[in-house]
Amino acid sequence: SQARAAAASGRSEKPLKAAFSNAGLQATWCAQGKAAAEYWGKLFNVEVTWFDGELDAVKQRAAIDNMASQKWDFVAIQAFGIGTLVQPVQKMIDAGIPVIDMDTLIAPLDKINVHSFLAPDNEFMGSSVTQALITAIGGKGKVITTQGALGHTGAQGRNRGFESIVKQHPDIEVLENQPADWDVTKVARLWETYLTKYPQIDAAYFHNDDMALAAYNVMKAHNRTNIKIGGCDAMPPAIAAVAEGRMHATVRNPSCRIHGGAIVAGVAAVTGGEKSGEGIPKSVVTDGPVVTKENASGMQWMEDHFLI
Amino acid sequence: MTIPVQEAVKGSPSRAGAFLRNRMRNIAPFATLIILLAFFSIASPSFLSVDNGVNVLTQISVTGVIAVGLTFVILCAEIDLSVAAIANATGIAVAYFTMQESYVNIPNLPLPGYAAIGLALLICAFLGLVNAFGTTLIGIPSFIMTLAMMQIGAGICALLVRGQIAYAVPDLVTMMGSGTIAGFPWIIIVLGVFLLAGHIVLTYTRFGRYVYMVGGNREAAEYSGVNVKMVLGAVMVISAVCSGVAGMIGVAHFGSAQQNEFDGYLLDAIAAVVVGGTSLFGGRGGIGNTIIGLCILGVLNNGLDHVQIDSFLKILIRGIILLVALIINVYVQNLRDRQRI
Amino acid sequence: MTIPVQEAVKGSPSRAGAFLRNRMRNIAPFATLIILLAFFSIASPSFLSVDNGVNVLTQISVTGVIAVGLTFVILCAEIDLSVAAIANATGIAVAYFTMQESYVNIPNLPLPGYAAIGLALLICAFLGLVNAFGTTLIGIPSFIMTLAMMQIGAGICALLVRGQIAYAVPDLVTMMGSGTIAGFPWIIIVLGVFLLAGHIVLTYTRFGRYVYMVGGNREAAEYSGVNVKMVLGAVMVISAVCSGVAGMIGVAHFGSAQQNEFDGYLLDAIAAVVVGGTSLFGGRGGIGNTIIGLCILGVLNNGLDHVQIDSFLKILIRGIILLVALIINVYVQNLRDRQRI
Amino acid sequence: MDGISKSFGGVVALHDVDFVLRAGEIHGLVGENGAGKSTLMKIIAGVHAEYNGRMFIDGEQVHFRSARDALAAGIGMVHQELSVVPDLTVAENVFLGKQPTKAGLIDWSGMVAAAREQLANLGIEVDPRASMGSLSIGLQQLVELARVLFSGARIIILDEPTSALSPPEVHRLFEVLRGVRASGRSIVFISHFLDDILSVSDRVTIFRNGRRVVTEAAALIDKGWVIERMIGSGHEELEESYTGAIALNSKSAAPVILSARHLAVGRAFADVSLDARAGEILGIYGFMGCGQIELARTLFGKLKPSTGTLAIEGAAKRFRNTAHARRAGIAFVPESRRSMLFYQEPVYKNVSISVLGRISRLWLKPAAERQIASRHVELLNIRPSNVLALLASLSGGNQQKVALAKWLTYIPKVLILSEPTRGMDVGAKDDVVKIVRALRNQGLAVIVVSAEPETVLSLADRIIVMKKGRIVHEFAGETISKDRLLDAA
Ligand SMILES: Nc1ncnc2c1ncn2[C@@H]1O[C@H](COP(=O)(O)OP(=O)(O)OP(=O)(O)O)[C@@H](O)[C@H]1O
Ligand SMILES: Nc1ncnc2c1ncn2[C@@H]1O[C@H](COP(=O)(O)OP(=O)(O)OP(=O)(O)O)[C@@H](O)[C@H]1O
Ligand SMILES: [Mg+2]
Ligand SMILES: [Mg+2]
């Protein structure tokens, strides 16, 4: 009966071993994901072993090589460098290990047959926050976007989303769209320049919250806190900033949903025999909502319990 | 008796030569700076303004404080590759010892502000001591010793901050890093104080002269009774402490403490010292050169933000301008050295 | 005139001394390697297996090919900080000249496979020549010259790949990087060939002797009529070409070419050469040392993935082990040097 | 000092040496190369901290761990190798390590004034604010002397302080030394110039093979006596070549091998024209810093001439580098061993390096290298004779011979020797003279560049005198003496 209860809840009866790897635990988003995976792992009787990518394609490849030479019930991977992990991942797939791809493509989906791909729609994230910002400034004004690393697919998607919305508003003028490579020191440098260069800036969109908060710091130092700031990821510090009005909005990139979902999908594949494409779609979009003052505290609560 | 005429004749050209030589070391970087300033002023209407001047100064502040310490090290013909890592570790440490908001999920150890600052300074001084110990007592080349320390610094960062971002630092640090006094950023004043102190120590104290002696001719320094190992050890500690201070005000300036935040400062600080004209072979240069080097780097970085160029091209352009500055710099110095023969 | 007996006695101890000395240089790193191997074999059941051995060898292949070139440079008492950037640029270049899938959105320039490889090799050789030109003819210290080249390499990467990722490389490169022969990875064979060739050139050719002599005493080499600048220039080009080859097989091995992909190789390659026991002051060491250094790095990186440690602690532990390996290495060498005096 | 022993690895540098230095004396120290003079002095000056035996100052036992300890005890030393900091000013070099301070800060103007005064005491007039590196080597040596002489040290050790000085400068130095002695301080003076030693010292100690042979009052002995004890057997004919009148055996009809016309390099020298002939030794003499060293380097392609032409056997050459000059048939031995030898390598690699291209094209042939090296080791009487021995384990004189051996495998067309006997003892000098003469007799054009009149006189068949970077006189086919040579310079 206990077994049936477990099966009903999706929990595995015998302890499973899973290997996880994400881009680099230096990133808060990844660190939150790790915590979520471990939390959901405990609930589902999965022992999670972590292989840190250290935000370095080569290091992650070596880590995944080492992962592939050990035995796992299932694995979940967020690639730092797209395409760099194909060989060892293919080796694990060939060995019959379900591989769940998180957030970033391991390789274009036609090149590698992962069990499922759980990821947010970056274009949607970019467009929804941009829309929130433009609405807040009344549909017209001058905006600046600060991009992540140009080579980052997430940043590319967010920028597409941003541009698609801006295009619909002829009264919006984009002053700058330079990349800051996720680097808060570059953000500070860029924004010090922008604030002296442009007497009027109405809104600013950043490809992640860290950069947004760093820029806010510069705006405060220049007494220019009237700029509406939009971020991306909705990490706890940003939720607090939104709640306090330092930031106007951010959009949730649901780290917990993705990492927890990987646990659920993995356990289902192993214990329930759930097949890719039947039990679970090849690709799952895990979008999160825009976070503004109204829903900020609820969002925080969900994150506290690894729900989103 | 006076020495034969031949020598006396030499005196005057060599005096003029020495003058010109010292000038040349400064003229080439200075000319580079002027050219960059002129170029960006023409290329962008927003570049030349008081506000942007303050921006450039703010932007070089953290690099500058690191570069002061690095100038000591390079004058001794050593190198410190751990400056950025130590800055990062110290910045994270001071945040670690400060009460963070509840949403920052680090098991940290809140202490009163001054205790946090003191402890952070102790940590960077300790890391500097390890560098000093490795290079002087064990005899590991500084290049390698500080490379290892760079990894250790990164490890400390990872361990303390555990993938999170910390925001709060002690008030004093916040003021120094992001506060203003009568509208003028404190961080520039901090930079000024460090530059001045560095200059005074190097030019007007025996220790400073020992630094030049050790860099210029280590054996001669030793024979004249200078405790070479102590000087070398001291510069490593000075460099680490400067980096630590830079890391603290940097964290306050950028408003957050996180891993790898200062990685870019290593190359910038080295480039500032060297582009300014301080010789990597030791014994020549000084804080004056570092100031010029800092300005060159600052203007270059800031100026490139003001002009509209393909973002992908920017990295290459920056690299090429740096290289050209170096080539001119070294070439002019060599030209002069050759004339001296 | 005959020289007194005392002199005649000298021969034998110094001969034995030389023998022991060469041994010691190798014994310390070797012991480090054995200790690491023993430790990880005990700490993790999955570490000691043929499969994992192949893993380690595969993982050091790219670093290893870079390290071969770097060994030449370091034996000459120079340094090349641009190896990783040149590797990256060459890898990207070879992909740039290869037909990419339609979803790769780069305005690239497809050429036949051999032409692409040839062009990529030309590019890295050219970048090496620029390094050579700067260090020998202009006289920029290699440390700084290659620092600038590192930025330029990164700039080339950015410009060619424009934030995209390229996947296809010529078949030959694909085979070398990710193919196997009778189940054994080609990439390890490539590494073996480079190591062997490096060893033969350094030990058995006239050029190799010049490398050691230039590193041992540059002035003396020059006064013996050795074309020092040519030797220095040649090692810079060799280093760049090795890096270029490493970059190409690396791109094939990892299956994609993108910006900053190889950044981590710089420190790893330097660490491998130096931990292996090749002196940064030039003239001592060789490929044998580099092999041991590579194995130490490879085992350390691989082994840490096999044992269960807090991920955040791993970086620190790696740094500390590296430092300890260095300390032992240098300490043992010094001990021996002191005994000789 | 009592029963001092010191060894470097297997090499015994000092063997049970007793040495007494009295207050208010100038103590001369002589001995062959490698006899252990410098080693003993470095022990006194705290450079070598590990040794056996005991050392007393004023009856109190001391053991210095560093140069700092020794300085604190009032011991100052001018080392055999110039140790100055070229990038600092002259004033700072005078006060190296003890820059005067005022209220904790360096007193720059006070230092300059004090330096000017001290230098004037040595008869030097240079601007103390000039950078040290801009001075000639001779002046730099004088500045270093000033530093130690006026440092207030009670015991002053001078290890071959006059190697780069011209005769008037040496003369002036001796006056100062006598003044120092008069103030009750003690001086140890090491030199290979026996005349100097005998004229300035109160007592002389002779070293041989790391042992003290004898100590005697200078007034009671003469040069022959000293040489006998230095070397073991009489070498009287040696000294003859240095005194008296010497007939120059110039061969003005011999074919010109190397010819220079209106050569100039920067500020070093200008308008130098000379011909080096087959089978003739051309001596170039001039005071230190008159441009002769730069001239030698220019002939070997190390420096590039700013104007002028060079021709080898009539064919015009512009050397791109030293390798180019080597291929054109020029061989060069620089004045400093350090810049010629590979200390961490065995002897045979040191010998073969400059002829490697002739021994092997691509692949090394170590057996052939060793064979060639063995031949030279025998020929030049180099000890130890084991070509696998590390160069660092050889004594200075033997190292110098290795430097010469490099060029003897395939005889070059032109052999340029810069200060070939600097710092050599009389025995080794004699060896070198014989070797060089033998080479000349084989038809080589030899150029000997030196600031020591003895060296030039003992070797040259024709002598060019340089002054302030220009050729001022040429002696050919006549009889010459040291006086006339010095007069010309
Ligand atoms: N002086 C040198 N310095 C460095 N490398 C050299 C030198 N000479 C030769 N090589 C190397 O050896 C190869 C053959 O050189 P080359 O024909 O110049 O021989 P060589 O040294 O001039 O011999 P020889 O002494 O017979 O003139 C060159 O391509 C180069 O790699
Ligand atoms: N640092 C050292 N390492 C090894 N051997 C040394 C060292 N210094 C001196 N020696 C050896 O010690 C012996 C004595 O050398 P020392 O320099 O004292 O001779 P010296 O009398 O000063 O000779 P010279 O007249 O050539 O200066 C020599 O055999 C020399 O090779
Ligand atoms: Mg001596
Ligand atoms: Mg040839």
Side-chain angles (χ1 to χ4, degrees):
Chain A
S1 73
Q2 208 179 359
R4 205 175 309 133
S9 69
R11 188 175 189 274
S12 166
E13 191 183 356
K14 73 171 177 50
L16 297 181
K17 276 178 53 137
F20 269 67
S21 174
N22 56 13
L25 292 173
Q26 293 102 307
T28 36
W29 191 87
C30 295
Q32 190 183 45
K34 178 172 185 266
E38 281 160 357
Y39 174 82
W40 285 93
K42 214 166 272 162
L43 286 181
F44 279 72
N45 200 14
V46 177
E47 186 201 336
V48 176
T49 302
W50 212 268
F51 291 82
D52 188 6
E54 292 184 41
L55 299 184
D56 180 329
V58 170
K59 290 217 173 84
Q60 192 179 27
R61 169 61 184 265
I64 303 294
D65 278 333
N66 294 339
M67 181 195 279
S69 66
Q70 299 173 43
K71 284 209 166 9
W72 309 102
D73 292 307
F74 68 94
V75 304
I77 294 169
Q78 177 205 9
F80 176 71
I82 297 178
T84 58
L85 308 173
V86 175
Q87 224 179 26
V89 168
Q90 191 61 51
K91 189 172 150 193
M92 290 189 280
I93 292 173
D94 292 346
I97 301 172
V99 176
I100 293 132
D101 187 353
M102 302 184 294
D103 180 63
T104 310
L105 288 167
I106 289 172
L109 276 178
D110 57 340
K111 280 184 92 176
I112 192 157
N113 187 24
V114 294
H115 187 72
S116 184
F117 174 46
L118 278 63
D121 179 351
N122 281 294
E123 202 164 327
F124 164 78
M125 290 198 286
S127 59
S128 55
V129 174
T130 308
Q131 186 58 60
L133 287 175
I134 289 180
T135 309
I137 60 173
K140 66 175 180 13
K142 298 179 196 264
V143 301
I144 286 179
T145 176
T146 303
Q147 304 200 52
L150 291 173
H152 190 271
T153 46
Q156 288 160 5
R158 287 166 212 183
N159 195 46
R160 277 196 302 277
F162 171 82
E163 280 176 353
S164 69
I165 298 297
V166 165
K167 219 177 291 160
Q168 298 164 15
H169 294 87
D171 292 336
I172 293 291
E173 185 192 349
V174 180
L175 299 172
E176 297 274 356
N177 65 351
Q178 301 195 44
D181 304 333
W182 315 118
D183 179 345
V184 294
T185 66
K186 275 191 194 143
V187 171
R189 205 185 69 210
L190 281 175
W191 274 85
E192 275 153 3
T193 299
Y194 295 160
L195 293 177
T196 42
K197 198 166 164 185
Y198 304 109
Q200 186 203 338
I201 304 168
D202 299 305
Y205 170 52
F206 297 84
H207 281 184
N208 74 6
D209 293 333
D210 299 347
M211 296 198 293
L213 289 171
Y216 172 78
N217 222 39
V218 178
M219 295 173 196
K220 201 175 79 180
H222 287 245
N223 289 324
R224 295 277 292 273
T225 48
N226 58 338
I227 300 168
K228 298 260 183 257
I229 299 176
C232 198
D233 286 349
M235 298 302 292
I239 295 178
V242 169
E244 290 162 18
R246 281 178 284 143
M247 276 170 70
H248 175 70
T250 179
V251 59
R252 178 57 183 163
N253 184 359
S255 175
C256 305
R257 210 178 243 179
I258 293 171
H259 287 78
I263 292 276
V264 177
V267 170
V270 177
T271 62
E274 199 175 81
K275 292 261 172 358
S276 172
E278 296 172 21
I280 182 164
K282 285 288 316 166
S283 173
V284 180
V285 175
T286 60
D287 278 338
V290 169
V291 180
T292 54
K293 240 185 185 130
E294 289 72 49
N295 61 354
S297 54
M299 193 61 58
Q300 182 59 50
W301 181 84
M302 286 199 282
E303 280 184 36
D304 288 343
H305 297 87
F306 302 109
L307 293 172
I308 190 163
Chain B
M1 184 204 85
T2 48
I3 299 297
V5 204
Q6 138 216 6
E7 304 284 8
V9 181
K10 272 213 168 154
S12 69
S14 80
R15 188 178 182 172
F19 182 75
L20 211 84
R21 193 183 105 189
N22 281 329
R23 273 300 166 89
M24 268 307 194
R25 164 168 309 280
N26 302 334
I27 283 175
F30 198 71
T32 311
L33 178 59
I34 299 293
I35 291 170
L36 281 178
L37 279 173
F39 172 78
F40 286 120
S41 303
I42 295 165
S44 156
S46 58
F47 176 76
L48 203 69
S49 72
V50 175
D51 258 17
N52 195 46
V54 174
N55 272 347
V56 172
L57 290 180
T58 314
Q59 286 162 6
I60 61 173
S61 293
V62 178
T63 330
V65 175
I66 296 178
V68 168
L70 205 56
T71 305
F72 280 77
V73 176
I74 292 182
L75 279 175
C76 280
E78 300 286 340
I79 189 73
D80 186 349
L81 300 181
S82 64
V83 285
I86 290 182
N88 213 342
T90 312
I92 285 181
V94 81
Y96 185 81
F97 296 125
T98 307
M99 189 67 180
Q100 298 292 331
E101 305 275 349
S102 60
Y103 53 75
V104 177
N105 191 15
I106 311 175
N108 73 332
L109 208 93
L111 293 174
Y114 286 95
I117 296 174
L119 254 172
L121 283 175
L122 274 183
I123 288 178
C124 63
F126 173 76
L127 295 181
L129 267 178
V130 174
N131 276 339
F133 172 80
T135 43
T136 59
L137 295 189
I138 305 282
I140 304 178
S142 59
F143 177 77
I144 284 298
M145 177 65 217
T146 56
L147 204 69
M149 181 52 72
M150 179 170 148
Q151 308 252 339
I152 291 177
I156 294 175
C157 292
L159 202 61
L160 287 183
V161 83
R162 302 192 72 81
Q164 303 294 313
I165 299 177
Y167 297 91
V169 289
D171 291 342
L172 177 67
V173 177
T174 309
M175 186 175 83
M176 291 296 145
S178 58
T180 55
I181 176 168
F184 193 75
W186 263 108
I187 196 167
I188 301 181
I189 298 175
V190 173
L191 172 65
V193 169
F194 268 79
L195 286 171
L196 190 69
H199 180 68
I200 289 176
V201 169
L202 279 177
T203 319
Y204 295 104
T205 70
R206 275 202 188 168
F207 171 75
R209 302 323 289 172
Y210 291 167
V211 169
Y212 280 93
M213 284 163 64
V214 168
N217 185 345
R218 200 159 288 188
E219 204 177 18
E222 189 147 13
Y223 287 161
S224 23
V226 173
N227 192 340
V228 171
K229 289 192 172 172
M230 203 167 80
V231 173
L232 289 178
V235 298
M236 296 314 285
V237 175
I238 289 175
S239 171
V241 171
C242 285
S243 303
V245 172
M248 287 198 270
I249 59 171
V251 161
H253 183 66
F254 299 120
S256 67
Q258 51 191 295
Q259 266 177 278
N260 302 99
E261 186 170 358
F262 295 124
D263 284 2
Y265 281 108
L266 171 59
L267 295 195
D268 270 17
I270 294 178
V273 175
V274 179
V275 168
T278 294
S279 164
L280 269 179
F281 303 117
R284 298 187 190 182
I287 296 291
N289 298 85
T290 300
I291 292 176
I292 307 231
L294 281 169
C295 291
I296 291 178
L297 264 278
V299 166
L300 183 57
N301 285 336
N302 177 289
L304 283 176
D305 286 342
H306 280 266
V307 295
Q308 298 286 347
I309 330 175
D310 178 6
S311 299
F312 294 112
L313 200 60
K314 229 176 223 182
I315 311 175
L316 187 59
I317 290 184
R318 207 183 99 107
I320 290 176
I321 293 183
L322 262 187
L323 182 61
V324 170
L326 275 173
I327 290 181
I328 295 176
N329 191 342
V330 175
Y331 191 73
V332 169
Q333 282 181 34
N334 282 1
L335 216 67
R336 178 221 48 208
D337 281 348
R338 214 165 298 151
Q339 276 167 347
R340 273 191 46 230
I341 291 171
Chain C
M1 181 197 85
T2 48
I3 304 284
V5 202
Q6 146 216 358
E7 304 281 9
V9 187
K10 266 185 202 169
S12 65
S14 78
R15 190 180 186 173
F19 182 75
L20 210 86
R21 189 184 107 191
N22 282 328
R23 274 298 166 91
M24 267 309 196
R25 168 169 304 284
N26 302 331
I27 283 176
F30 199 71
T32 311
L33 177 59
I34 299 292
I35 291 170
L36 282 178
L37 278 174
F39 172 77
F40 285 121
S41 302
I42 295 166
S44 155
S46 58
F47 176 75
L48 203 68
S49 72
V50 175
D51 251 24
N52 195 47
V54 173
N55 257 351
V56 172
L57 289 180
T58 313
Q59 284 163 7
I60 61 175
S61 293
V62 180
T63 330
V65 175
I66 296 177
V68 168
L70 204 57
T71 306
F72 280 77
V73 176
I74 292 182
L75 278 176
C76 280
E78 298 287 339
I79 189 74
D80 185 349
L81 300 180
S82 64
V83 284
I86 291 182
N88 213 342
T90 312
I92 286 179
V94 81
Y96 185 82
F97 296 126
T98 307
M99 189 66 179
Q100 298 291 331
E101 306 272 348
S102 58
Y103 54 72
V104 178
N105 192 16
I106 311 174
N108 72 333
L109 208 94
L111 292 175
Y114 286 95
I117 296 175
L119 254 172
L121 283 176
L122 275 183
I123 289 179
C124 64
F126 173 75
L127 296 181
L129 268 177
V130 175
N131 276 339
F133 172 80
T135 44
T136 60
L137 295 189
I138 306 283
I140 305 177
S142 58
F143 178 78
I144 284 298
M145 177 65 216
T146 56
L147 205 69
M149 181 52 72
M150 180 169 146
Q151 309 250 340
I152 291 177
I156 294 175
C157 292
L159 203 61
L160 287 184
V161 84
R162 301 194 71 83
Q164 303 295 312
I165 299 172
Y167 299 94
V169 289
D171 292 341
L172 176 68
V173 177
T174 309
M175 187 175 82
M176 291 296 143
S178 58
T180 54
I181 176 168
F184 192 75
W186 264 108
I187 197 168
I188 300 182
I189 298 175
V190 173
L191 171 65
V193 169
F194 268 79
L195 286 171
L196 190 69
H199 180 68
I200 289 176
V201 170
L202 280 177
T203 320
Y204 298 107
T205 70
R206 184 149 65 104
F207 173 73
R209 172 70 63 78
Y210 288 147
V211 168
Y212 277 97
M213 294 311 220
V214 167
N217 185 347
R218 189 161 300 180
E219 208 182 2
E222 186 155 14
Y223 282 130
S224 308
V226 174
N227 192 341
V228 171
K229 290 193 171 169
M230 197 167 84
V231 173
L232 290 179
V235 298
M236 296 314 285
V237 174
I238 288 175
S239 170
V241 171
C242 285
S243 303
V245 172
M248 286 198 269
I249 59 170
V251 161
H253 181 66
F254 295 118
S256 72
Q258 48 194 298
Q259 263 176 278
N260 302 101
E261 189 172 2
F262 296 139
D263 285 0
Y265 280 126
L266 172 59
L267 294 195
D268 271 15
I270 294 178
V273 175
V274 179
V275 168
T278 295
S279 165
L280 270 177
F281 302 118
R284 297 187 192 185
I287 296 291
N289 298 84
T290 301
I291 292 177
I292 307 236
L294 281 168
C295 290
I296 292 178
L297 265 277
V299 167
L300 184 57
N301 285 336
N302 176 290
L304 283 175
D305 282 341
H306 280 267
V307 295
Q308 296 285 345
I309 330 174
D310 178 6
S311 303
F312 294 110
L313 199 60
K314 237 176 220 180
I315 308 176
L316 185 59
I317 289 184
R318 197 170 50 206
I320 289 177
I321 293 183
L322 260 186
L323 183 60
V324 170
L326 276 173
I327 290 181
I328 295 176
N329 192 344
V330 175
Y331 191 72
V332 169
Q333 281 181 36
N334 282 1
L335 214 67
R336 186 241 326 154
D337 280 348
R338 213 167 298 150
Q339 272 167 349
R340 274 195 47 245
I341 287 174
Chain D
M1 306 197 70
D2 193 6
I4 301 287
S5 298
K6 164 85 187 164
S7 50
F8 296 100
V11 184
V12 181
L14 289 175
H15 190 272
D16 196 19
V17 172
D18 301 338
F19 179 78
V20 176
L21 180 64
R22 295 181 187 149
E25 74 166 344
I26 297 180
H27 196 127
L29 212 55
V30 293
E32 289 193 289
N33 294 122
K37 307 177 296 289
S38 301
T39 305
L40 183 70
M41 293 305 115
K42 282 183 178 171
I43 287 175
I44 299 177
V47 174
H48 294 315
E50 277 149 42
Y51 58 88
N52 295 321
R54 295 176 301 164
M55 176 158 65
F56 302 89
I57 293 181
D58 295 335
E60 229 175 279
Q61 184 166 356
V62 290
H63 190 137
F64 299 136
R65 298 257 142 235
S66 67
R68 221 156 12 103
D69 289 355
L71 280 166
I75 296 172
M77 176 163 175
V78 172
H79 288 265
Q80 196 166 357
E81 291 85 19
L82 197 62
S83 56
V84 298
V85 185
D87 291 318
L88 296 185
T89 61
V90 171
E92 280 198 274
N93 271 285
V94 170
F95 290 98
L96 213 56
K98 294 186 290 285
Q99 288 91 339
T101 56
K102 214 194 263 171
L105 297 181
I106 301 277
D107 176 15
W108 280 95
S109 53
M111 179 162 69
V112 168
R116 196 188 303 277
E117 192 189 316
Q118 298 201 354
L119 291 174
N121 280 335
L122 262 182
I124 320 167
E125 259 184 63
V126 292
D127 180 359
R129 285 165 304 188
S131 98
M132 190 71 172
S134 66
L135 265 51
S136 68
I137 301 290
L139 276 177
Q140 292 188 24
Q141 195 165 36
L142 283 169
V143 172
E144 195 183 348
L145 276 167
R147 169 169 92 222
V148 174
L149 287 175
F150 304 116
S151 67
R154 291 190 302 146
I155 298 174
I156 294 169
I157 300 167
L158 309 175
D159 194 350
E160 295 193 33
T162 57
S163 57
L165 300 187
S166 60
E169 289 164 345
V170 173
H171 190 73
R172 172 75 201 173
L173 171 66
F174 287 173
E175 274 175 35
V176 174
L177 291 188
R178 292 190 184 103
V180 169
R181 173 180 58 189
S183 69
R185 294 184 277 162
S186 316
I187 294 169
V188 180
F189 186 84
I190 302 178
S191 178
H192 288 296
F193 300 105
L194 301 183
D195 293 327
D196 288 353
I197 289 275
L198 290 172
S199 74
V200 77
S201 311
D202 300 311
R203 294 195 303 155
V204 176
T205 290
I206 300 172
F207 267 73
R208 189 163 80 218
N209 302 342
R211 291 166 205 268
R212 185 177 65 88
V213 178
V214 64
T215 302
E216 192 54 83
L220 306 179
I221 55 180
D222 68 3
K223 208 166 158 184
W225 191 90
V226 172
I227 291 177
E228 210 169 291
R229 274 152 197 79
M230 270 174 67
I231 298 173
S233 62
H235 264 63
E236 284 81 1
E237 81 272 17
L238 262 180
E239 47 195 303
E240 256 170 46
S241 53
Y242 303 141
T243 53
I246 294 165
L248 291 177
N249 177 22
S250 313
K251 301 193 176 71
S252 43
V256 173
I257 304 277
L258 177 147
S259 99
R261 287 291 169 271
H262 311 294
L263 228 45
V265 166
R267 287 166 38 204
F269 62 86
D271 198 22
V272 168
S273 300
L274 56 82
D275 290 319
R277 295 172 193 277
E280 189 188 56
I281 301 176
L282 170 65
I284 300 180
Y285 173 76
F287 290 152
M288 209 63 202
C290 72
Q292 80 274 47
I293 287 185
E294 288 82 358
L295 173 61
R297 288 184 188 175
T298 310
L299 296 180
F300 189 54
K302 171 81 164 110
L303 298 179
K304 295 208 173 48
S306 21
T307 58
T309 56
L310 260 180
I312 307 287
E313 293 179 326
K317 298 275 178 191
R318 278 193 84 84
F319 294 140
R320 289 184 301 273
N321 48 45
T322 55
H324 191 194
R326 171 179 61 82
R327 278 198 284 276
I330 299 188
F332 179 65
V333 181
E335 56 282 354
S336 140
R337 277 179 230 141
R338 274 192 198 191
S339 47
M340 188 66 197
L341 296 168
F342 304 90
Y343 286 81
Q344 298 302 331
E345 302 284 353
V347 168
Y348 84 88
K349 289 189 186 174
N350 272 283
V351 174
S352 65
I353 178 73
S354 44
V355 294
L356 218 49
R358 308 277 287 269
I359 301 172
S360 56
R361 284 234 65 80
L362 176 63
W363 303 107
L364 291 172
K365 299 194 184 73
E369 289 178 44
R370 282 197 288 271
Q371 196 196 338
I372 287 170
S374 297
R375 217 169 61 221
H376 292 302
V377 161
E378 206 169 309
L379 204 71
L380 298 183
N381 199 8
I382 293 172
R383 290 288 176 274
S385 58
N386 176 8
V387 296
L388 295 176
L390 288 189
L391 189 93
S393 65
L394 268 61
S395 81
N398 282 309
Q399 290 176 357
Q400 190 91 7
K401 288 186 193 170
V402 172
L404 195 58
K406 286 178 170 219
W407 298 108
L408 304 185
T409 314
Y410 301 100
I411 299 303
K413 290 175 187 150
V414 184
L415 174 64
I416 302 168
L417 303 168
S418 181
E419 302 289 358
T421 57
R422 177 193 284 183
M424 278 191 163
D425 59 66
V426 274
K429 270 182 188 166
D430 189 37
D431 281 353
V432 169
V433 168
K434 282 181 185 150
I435 295 164
V436 173
R437 285 193 179 142
L439 289 170
R440 171 203 49 197
N441 294 341
Q442 289 177 39
L444 241 76
V446 180
I447 300 177
V448 171
V449 175
S450 178
E452 293 175 12
E454 290 84 357
T455 307
V456 180
L457 288 171
S458 62
L459 280 165
D461 300 322
R462 183 157 56 94
I463 299 175
I464 284 174
V465 181
M466 285 182 74
K467 189 171 175 179
K468 291 198 279 175
R470 284 170 194 275
I471 292 180
V472 290
H473 199 86
E474 178 166 345
F475 297 99
E478 50 190 301
T479 311
I480 183 180
S481 66
K482 190 169 165 182
D483 299 350
R484 284 192 61 203
L485 187 61
L486 288 178
D487 264 0

